[in-house]
Amino acid sequence: MKQIVIAANWKMNTNLNEAIDLVTSLKKLLSSSVKATTIICPPFVYLPEINSILKDSNIYVGAQNMYFEEKGAFTGEISPSMVANFCKFVILGHSERRSIFGESNELINKKVHAALVNDLTPILCVGESQKEREEGLAEKIIHEQLTVGLNQIDNIENVQIAYEPVWAIGTGIAATPELANEIMDGTIKSTLKSLYNDEQVERVPLLYGGSVNSDNIEEYVSMPGINGALVGGASLKSEEFSLIVTKAESVIH
Ligand code: 13P
């Protein structure tokens, strides 16, 4: 059976009350959803509260980022073990972390190592900008993000990869399912297969991200190389997000 993973990236949104309402509502709406792995990634400060609400549910909690060092003088940062108290997943290398906060592939690789050591499943994000696509560099950029981001990582089956073309994030201009599949089943899978054996690679969930909503989710997960989605804006409304999960599940036979 095809693995389906739907992850919500709330980014820097919601106040505490909104976060509690949203997740409480999702818990109810998704109580009978069993086929998809559903992950909610709220801002750090809400993790304890959200984790306690979702403790006895079928929804997992994830963080949006973390630092790789275990402890010390790193003002403002959060360590992997701090995250692991509340989460099973962690988004790493999101394009907003790369472009706004200057995260390099090398730094992201350190974070991937640290996540795995702490039994966190990293959701490693890759994807090209508009300019890189126009210059014909998309495949090269993604290949590099993967090879450096996964340097010295053996247990690839404990990693998830999200393909998020920067030009599709928050723009309403989603990549066509065909284009997303071409990159994911093509570039991403062939890069992974150059690093790991086929059996390992087939176990890695590949998520698409960028303007996903309840109207287009089925088209993505129907593609052979796409296992699910990393959802931004549309994950901030409980009805819409639960519809995304149930529609994604509907493609599994
Ligand atoms: P949108 O779904 O708002 O385009 O955001 C995608 C994203 O960045 C998820 O990580």
Side-chain angles (χ1 to χ4, degrees), residues 18-29:
E18 288 164 349
I20 292 171
D21 286 351
L22 180 50
V23 88
T24 306
S25 168
L26 282 173
K27 187 179 168 180
K28 275 193 211 125
L29 289 165

Side-chain angles (χ1 to χ4, degrees), residues 2 4 177 180-181 184 206-208 220-228:
K2 188 176 187 176
I4 298 282
N181 191 67
M184 296 167 75
L206 302 183
L207 317 186
Y208 166 75
Y220 290 109
V221 287
S222 301
M223 287 285 159
I226 305 183
N227 296 96

Side-chain angles (χ1 to χ4, degrees), residues 135-229:
E135 289 172 356
L137 296 173
E139 303 214 341
K140 180 175 172 285
I141 293 290
I142 293 162
H143 181 81
E144 200 169 292
Q145 288 171 334
L146 286 172
T147 48
V148 181
L150 294 170
N151 187 32
Q152 304 288 321
I153 298 291
D154 297 326
N155 38 347
I156 186 67
E157 54 271 56
N158 296 338
V159 176
Q160 303 194 354
I161 308 288
Y163 169 55
E164 299 206 310
V166 179
W167 45 271
I169 296 178
T171 57
I173 306 166
T176 62
E178 292 73 21
L179 185 146
N181 191 67
E182 193 181 301
I183 294 285
M184 296 167 75
D185 215 24
T187 315
I188 293 180
K189 233 170 225 178
S190 66
T191 302
L192 292 180
K193 286 185 176 174
S194 71
L195 303 168
Y196 306 97
N197 69 48
D198 291 7
E199 206 180 304
Q200 283 178 298
V201 173
E202 292 308 330
R203 277 192 246 134
V204 178
L206 302 183
L207 317 186
Y208 166 75
S211 299
V212 170
N213 56 44
S214 61
D215 290 329
N216 61 22
I217 184 66
E218 281 162 292
E219 293 180 72
Y220 290 109
V221 287
S222 301
M223 287 285 159
I226 305 183
N227 296 96

Side-chain angles (χ1 to χ4, degrees), residues 9 11 94 96 164 168-171 209-212 230-233:
N9 177 7
K11 308 193 180 183
H94 191 279
E96 287 146 21
E164 299 206 310
I169 296 178
T171 57
S211 299
V212 170
L230 181 51
V231 186

